[in-house]
Structure formats: C-alpha cells, structure tokens
Amino acid sequence: MLDQGAPPQNPGQNAAPTPPGVGARLMRRKPVESLVAEGGQGEGGSLRRSLGLWQLTMISIGATLGTGIFVVLGEAVPKAGPAVTLSFVIAGLTALFSALSYAELAGTIPVAGSSYSYAYATMGELIAWVCGWCLVLEYGVSVAAVAVGWGEYLNELLDGTIGVTIPAALSAPPGDGGVFNLPALIVVLLAMAFLLGGAKESARANTVMVIVKIAALVMFCAIGVQGFRSGNYENFMPLGMAGVSAAGATLFFSYIGFDAASTAGEEAKNAQRDLPRAIMLSLVIVTALYVLVAAVAVGAKPWKNFTDSEAALAQIMREVTGQTFWGTLLAFCAVIAIASVVLTVLYGQTRILFAMSRDGLVPKVFSKVHPKTKTPRANTLIVSLFCGVLAAAIPLGQLADATSIGTLFAFALVNVAVVVLRRTRPDMPRTFRVPLSPVMPALGFGFCIWMMGSLSAVTWVVFGVWMAVGLVFYFGYGYRRSRLAPSEK
C-alpha cells in the first residue's frame, strides 16, 4: 500500500545524469584553448621551444625537396610522358590550396598534432582519429618510401667511387628482386640517432643537408640542360590527361613538407607568426625547383627511356656528360639530400603520435618526454624501427601511392576544418587568413578528391584496409581512453 503522506516521487530526481549517446561522443570536440594550453606538455616533461623561422622553413623544405625529384621521377615519367612537368604543376597547385588552409590553422592552433588537432577542434573526435590515422600512413610510409630511394643512390655512389655495389638481395625488398633492403633500414636508423639528440640539434643537421640538396639540383640543371633536345617534347601528352593526373597523384607524395613544418608548432619560438610564413615560403621554393628539374630531365632524356630506377637524375648526368664523375657527385649529394627528408618526415610522425597520445587515443608511451633531451625518446625508437622494417620489405611504387592517398585525404579534411573554424569561432585572432574563403578551401578540397580518384584500385583497397584497422583500434582503445571521455561518465 502506498504511503499517502509521502511526497510524490519524481522519476528524474536523484537519477544519474544520462550519458551522451554514442553519436555525441564520436563528435566530441576539444576546445582550441585546451589544445594551445597543452602545447609542448607530455608525460613527465615538456618539449623545448627552440625553432625560429629559418629552422622551420628548412624543416619544411627538408621534408619536401628531393622526394619527388630524386626518388619518384622515374616512377612518374612513364605515366605522363613529357607532361610530367604539368603533373608537378597540378600537384603543386593542389598543395598550394591546402597549404593556405594549413597556414591559417597553424597560426591559429600552433600545436604538434597538425591536421589531426585541427580536425579535433572543428569536426569531432572520430574525424580527428581518421585524420590522425591518415597521417600515420602519410608520414610512416613516406619515410619508408624515401628510404628505398636513398638505397638506390647509395649504390650509385658506391659504384662510381669504389666500383662495388650492395648485392640485390640486400638492397631491394621482396618483389623487386631482393630479400631485405638494408640501406633503407640504415638511413632510418641514422635519422633516429639525430632525433634522439634533440629538436634543435636535428634542425641544424637538416639545414646543412637542405643546402647540399639545393646545390645539387642547381648543378643538375646547369649540366643537364646541355643535353636538352626539344624533340623530346614533341609528343607532349602521349597518355592523355588521365596519365597526367595519375602521375600528379603519385607526385603529390612529394609535397608533404609543409605539413611536417606544422608538426613543429610546440617547439617553435613564435609559432603563430613563423609557421604560416615557413609553410608558404617553402612551398614556393620547392615547386619552382621541382618544375625546373623535371623540365630539364625530360628534355635531356626521352621519356620512354625512363625506367623504374629511383636514381634517374644520376643516370641522366652520366649520359649527358659521358663521364661517371658528375653522376657520382650527384649521387653523393642525393644520399645527403634524401637523408634530410627521412629525418624531417620521421620527426613529423613522432610529433603526430605525441599529440594523439596526449589526448589518450594511443598509448601513453608515445607522449613520454625524456628529461635530458626534451624529446619523446620511446616514441622515436618505436616509430623508427617500424618505418625501417617497412622500408626494408615493401617496394617503392606501392609505398609512394599509399602515402599519396593518406596525404590527400588528410589535406581534404584540413580544407573543411578551416571553413568550420571560421564559422564556429570567427572572433579568434588569426595571423594568416586564407584569401577568398570559402572558395579557396573548396578548391583545395575538390583537387584532393580528384587526385585521389586518379590512384589505382589497389591503392584504394590498401587505404580501405588501413582505415578499417584504424577504426578497430579506435573503438577498442581510444574511444574509452580518450581524455574527453571521463567528463562524460
């Protein structure tokens, strides 16, 4: 029997707050103020702010310049013919639209997570995870891809100096006639050693290597133009626009340097001022050099004679001069130059995982900071060993295309993020603004989707499998361990 004197019961009284649904939890966003406030903070210490505009620009150029020219040119020319120069322009234009969005967001949210953090602040945790997972593919696989090309040039150098080469079994991965690519593993481990010494020390080494690579490309143009034959351009677009776009999609792999610069946001002295400048300056320099070197290379060598060799420039130098000296000298410069790409892209990979770990989406070991060097030492060791083994076991062409699709997808999301942040936080101070927004970000998004569509079905399958693995990891680990989750329980 009911107690007539008892007050009426309210079903909602004393009940625990209803937790948000799954959809709301997947869309939870991290406030920009929290992202910026946590800048540099890791498990047990913080990163050291020691990088200025010069170092940031060199990191950006170091991660970009050389990858497409020294390594992937031999892969791209057979797809587009002489029109590979146009492929570089298209890839560079696509990069430019996205670089403008990166520059605005890097100045507004200067953190190590790059596009992962931008997505977290604007589109929610699930999209941020997808973006971060794409960056893991972009950076980790590109380190491996460039390391493969480094081994090709090392063999060219050894052949031209002491007349011996590393046996194919130890200088090529399975599928390319070898068993294990030892040089690729070695260059990744060398880059790891520099990174363990600290960001400032790594930046100094990178600056020297960047100067060497620019000098090498200028030297190639000065000598290669002597073998220039206008007849090599007569059938400019033999494989049509489809070939040009396919080559451009592959070459886009070589335009990720400015993204690496944005990962240095928590180690820059004045990130809001210097990051946008470094991004735009580096992209202009790199694109100009890429187009110039590609034009000279195709003019000096018929496009049908390009093979899948990753040491195409050294071969052209040898053919033009009829001497081994110049090809050997270029191979020496390329060995140094490509090492800088490995160094800076590996740096970017570790900082992406650092930010994701700090947010609880990947294990804490990736955000532990060594008290002496102020670097994420365990993170660097794990990532380097993974990338080294990948470089030693997978052929270059497959690596380059996998990197391109991850890069393009992440860049597409950045173009969306800059529009979303303009609408949700129009009052935020911005040290750089994308002109003609939202038109320019929309063009950047459209170009990225178009170039993704130019990649092979196999690449899409690899991308789909990678995304599926990432979602399994997120729902099995990051969804519940996210630092945003406790406030919702």
Side-chain angles (χ1 to χ4, degrees):
M1 177 180 286
L2 292 175
D3 183 357
Q4 300 296 322
Q9 295 294 316
N10 183 351
Q13 189 175 6
N14 300 324
T18 303
V22 174
R25 295 181 70 178
L26 295 178
M27 295 298 293
R28 54 196 176 198
R29 292 182 295 177
K30 189 170 184 179
V32 174
E33 290 77 11
S34 297
L35 284 166
V36 176
E38 292 175 0
Q41 300 300 315
E43 291 287 325
S46 59
L47 303 176
R48 181 184 294 121
R49 292 191 176 274
S50 59
L51 305 177
L53 176 61
W54 171 254
Q55 289 92 344
L56 292 170
T57 304
M58 289 299 102
I59 287 174
S60 187
I61 295 176
T64 312
L65 185 59
T67 311
I69 288 296
F70 284 112
V71 179
V72 189
L73 187 63
E75 296 271 345
V77 172
K79 295 180 180 180
V84 71
T85 52
L86 183 58
S87 299
F88 270 112
V89 173
I90 292 174
L93 188 61
T94 304
L96 174 61
F97 287 128
S98 297
L100 291 170
S101 294
Y102 262 100
E104 177 169 328
L105 292 173
T108 308
I109 313 174
V111 293
S114 186
S115 53
Y116 154 76
S117 295
Y118 309 152
Y120 212 165
T122 57
M123 291 177 281
E125 186 171 285
L126 179 61
I127 301 299
W129 169 264
V130 170
C131 188
W133 196 242
C134 283
L135 292 176
V136 172
L137 177 67
E138 170 190 338
Y139 281 91
V141 178
S142 65
V143 167
V146 178
V148 171
W150 185 84
E152 291 286 331
Y153 275 100
L154 179 63
N155 258 340
E156 289 280 336
L157 177 61
L158 293 174
D159 185 39
T161 52
I162 60 178
V164 300
T165 58
I166 301 171
L170 295 178
S171 61
D176 275 1
V179 176
F180 192 78
N181 194 330
L182 182 61
L185 175 61
I186 289 174
V187 71
V188 174
L189 295 181
L190 287 173
M192 178 188 74
F194 277 111
L195 291 175
L196 290 176
K200 187 175 182 179
E201 292 73 16
S202 301
R204 287 173 179 169
N206 174 65
T207 297
V208 173
M209 290 188 279
V210 168
I211 292 172
V212 169
K213 81 166 73 176
I214 291 176
L217 293 176
V218 171
M219 178 187 71
F220 170 82
C221 291
I223 295 175
V225 74
Q226 299 174 27
F228 191 91
R229 300 291 183 270
S230 59
N232 291 339
Y233 278 93
E234 287 181 356
N235 188 10
F236 182 69
M237 202 180 293
L239 301 174
M241 197 61 199
V244 173
S245 62
T250 296
L251 290 171
F252 192 81
F253 153 79
S254 58
Y255 281 93
I256 65 172
F258 61 85
D259 190 10
S262 71
T263 65
E266 296 178 19
E267 290 160 285
K269 295 176 183 177
N270 190 340
Q272 291 180 312
R273 181 195 67 187
D274 292 340
L275 280 178
R277 296 179 181 181
I279 289 170
M280 299 310 300
L281 181 61
S282 63
L283 187 61
V284 169
I285 294 172
V286 165
T287 302
L289 279 170
Y290 274 169
V291 173
L292 179 61
V293 173
V296 172
V298 176
K301 184 173 183 174
W303 73 272
K304 290 184 179 180
N305 293 345
F306 277 80
T307 64
D308 288 341
S309 170
E310 286 82 38
L313 296 190
Q315 293 176 358
I316 292 172
M317 292 278 279
R318 216 169 33 241
E319 293 167 3
V320 168
T321 63
Q323 302 175 8
T324 60
F325 171 77
W326 294 107
T328 302
L329 179 59
L330 186 73
F332 169 75
C333 294
V335 166
I336 296 175
I338 297 173
S340 76
V341 180
V342 175
L343 174 66
T344 48
V345 176
L346 189 64
Y347 167 85
Q349 173 70 99
T350 60
R351 271 46 180 186
I352 294 292
L353 288 171
F354 178 87
M356 296 177 74
S357 172
R358 186 172 56 202
D359 291 333
L361 302 185
V362 298
K364 289 184 179 180
V365 66
F366 290 101
S367 58
K368 288 185 177 179
V369 177
H370 191 270
K372 183 178 180 180
T373 62
K374 300 297 181 181
T375 61
R377 174 170 286 189
N379 180 343
T380 303
L381 287 169
I382 294 170
V383 170
S384 300
L385 291 175
F386 172 79
C387 292
V389 171
L390 198 65
I394 308 294
L396 172 65
Q398 296 174 23
L399 290 171
D401 283 350
T403 302
S404 291
I405 196 167
T407 305
L408 287 164
F409 191 81
F411 284 10
L413 291 178
V414 168
N415 284 293
V416 175
V418 76
V419 175
V420 172
L421 195 62
R422 284 275 191 102
R423 293 182 179 276
T424 57
R425 299 294 302 275
D427 57 326
M428 286 192 67
R430 290 167 169 82
T431 55
F432 177 86
R433 298 178 70 90
V434 179
L436 301 177
S437 180
V439 176
M440 296 292 272
L443 287 172
F445 178 85
F447 267 87
C448 288
I449 298 302
W450 172 56
M451 294 192 75
M452 287 177 71
S454 300
L455 293 168
S456 68
V458 173
T459 302
W460 275 96
V461 170
V462 171
F463 182 66
V465 171
W466 178 259
M467 285 292 104
V469 171
L471 290 174
V472 169
F473 187 91
Y474 170 71
F475 285 107
Y477 183 92
Y479 177 73
R480 292 178 178 82
R481 295 175 182 264
S482 168
R483 288 186 59 193
L484 296 185
S487 63
E488 299 169 354
K489 293 179 180 178

